[in-house]
Amino acid sequence: MELQLSMVVLEVADLDASVRFYRRLGLDIPDPDPDRPVVAHRMGSGVTLLITRGFASRYDPTWAPPAGGGYSQLLEFYVGDDAVVDSTWADLVGAGYRGRMPPTKTAGPYAAIVDDPDGNAILLTSDEAASPDAS
């Protein structure tokens, strides 16, 4: 059996703020269950984005959030062509989210980086290789 990435889990400080961010990004994130601090969204690629509050600290006594403005992961979202990268960046930064890199033609794809509410770096890209339709 080939190993597959099935889920990305984000440990967040404020579940509602994260839900608002990822909805604004364009994901159809469901409302959280008031009795369970977790939401999940399965994307067309088959990967599930799970957003939770309190899981890591409950089960891993050594867990601590990243400090100093750094990030330990970069989540890439294929958003469409270059114009959609531009408009998504403008919308998120205009809504007050921290922009790390404005839309730029990198050595690879056209891309931009913005932080989600917990400082996770979100790469917005027009890289066709990241499209769910890529073979």
Side-chain angles (χ1 to χ4, degrees), residues 2-9 42-43 45-48 75:
E2 181 184 352
L3 187 64
Q4 296 289 315
L5 177 65
S6 65
M7 184 178 297
V8 173
V9 179
R42 187 172 178 93
M43 293 177 266
S45 64
V47 175
T48 297
L75 302 179

Side-chain angles (χ1 to χ4, degrees), residues 7-127:
M7 184 178 297
V8 173
V9 179
L10 295 180
E11 180 73 34
V12 302
D14 183 331
L15 188 61
D16 292 330
S18 292
V19 166
R20 283 191 302 274
F21 173 85
Y22 286 98
R23 283 179 177 165
R24 188 169 203 119
L25 179 61
L27 297 179
D28 187 21
I29 303 290
D31 289 331
D33 181 331
D35 298 325
R36 191 165 180 241
V38 62
V39 294
H41 172 72
R42 187 172 178 93
M43 293 177 266
S45 64
V47 175
T48 297
L49 176 64
L50 186 129
I51 306 168
T52 185
R53 181 182 43 76
F55 180 86
S57 61
R58 180 175 181 183
Y59 295 104
D60 179 357
T62 66
W63 181 83
Y71 54 89
S72 57
Q73 66 277 331
L74 184 71
L75 302 179
E76 180 177 350
F77 286 90
Y78 170 78
V79 295
D81 64 22
D82 295 357
V84 180
V85 172
D86 291 340
S87 64
T88 303
W89 160 266
D91 178 61
L92 292 170
V93 171
Y97 297 103
R98 177 181 178 209
R100 287 187 177 266
M101 181 184 84
T104 303
K105 175 58 180 144
T106 69
Y110 188 75
I113 302 173
V114 64
D115 282 355
D116 77 0
D118 290 278
N120 295 305
I122 307 302
L123 180 66
L124 310 170
T125 181
S126 63
D127 184 2

